[in-house]
Amino acid sequence: MMRRHELSEAYEYGSAAALHVRIEGATRGLRQIYGGVPTLVDAEIDPGDLYDYHSVSVGFLNTQLRIFRALDAINPERSFELPRLTREAFERNLRTASEALTRAYPSRANS
């Protein structure tokens, strides 16, 4: 079910970040400064480089959208107008955020 709704990678990432430390989670905040001491900085927000924060935020919201779509798929009888309109608005706003990320960081958008 998770593979069918493209949620396996999100599950693996969540598992790595929340359940136990894996190298990816441990190295996000590691900064190697040439000639200096390796330092762990705040892994959530680095004021000197906000791309990672914005990119992870958009990625999280993309996962939420996949979850919303999966919920719609497993409950096809549901015909409530409000959830559909809410998901469509969420999707439009997420598309706007993704486009803003690409415009703000053009050199990193495809990396």
Side-chain angles (χ1 to χ4, degrees), residues 2 4-5 16 18 20 28 34 38 44-45 47 53 58 60 66 80 84 86 93-94 96 98 100 103 105 111:
M2 288 188 340
R4 184 175 23 181
H5 295 286
H20 52 278
R28 280 189 71 82
Y34 182 75
E44 295 295 323
I45 300 174
Y53 174 76
V58 167
F60 175 82
R66 286 195 300 275
F80 303 119
R84 183 184 65 76
T86 301
N93 290 330
L94 177 55
T96 300
S98 296
R103 281 191 310 277
Y105 305 98
S111 57

Side-chain angles (χ1 to χ4, degrees), residues 14-97:
S15 172
L19 300 178
H20 52 278
V21 176
R22 292 186 186 167
I23 193 68
E24 180 183 3
T27 59
R28 280 189 71 82
L30 182 64
R31 296 295 183 265
Q32 296 283 4
I33 301 168
Y34 182 75
V37 177
T39 306
L40 282 174
V41 297
D42 186 346
E44 295 295 323
I45 300 174
D46 178 358
D49 182 7
L50 293 174
Y51 174 78
D52 282 342
Y53 174 76
H54 290 142
S55 179
V56 168
S57 297
V58 167
F60 175 82
L61 294 173
N62 271 314
T63 299
Q64 290 301 115
L65 182 60
R66 286 195 300 275
I67 290 169
F68 294 154
R69 287 177 178 159
L71 290 173
D72 287 347
I74 63 173
N75 191 5
E77 292 107 27
R78 185 178 74 173
S79 62
F80 303 119
E81 189 69 4
L82 182 59
R84 183 184 65 76
L85 293 173
T86 301
R87 185 176 50 75
E88 288 172 358
F90 183 91
E91 193 165 352
R92 279 191 309 275
N93 290 330
L94 177 55
R95 193 170 28 257
T96 300

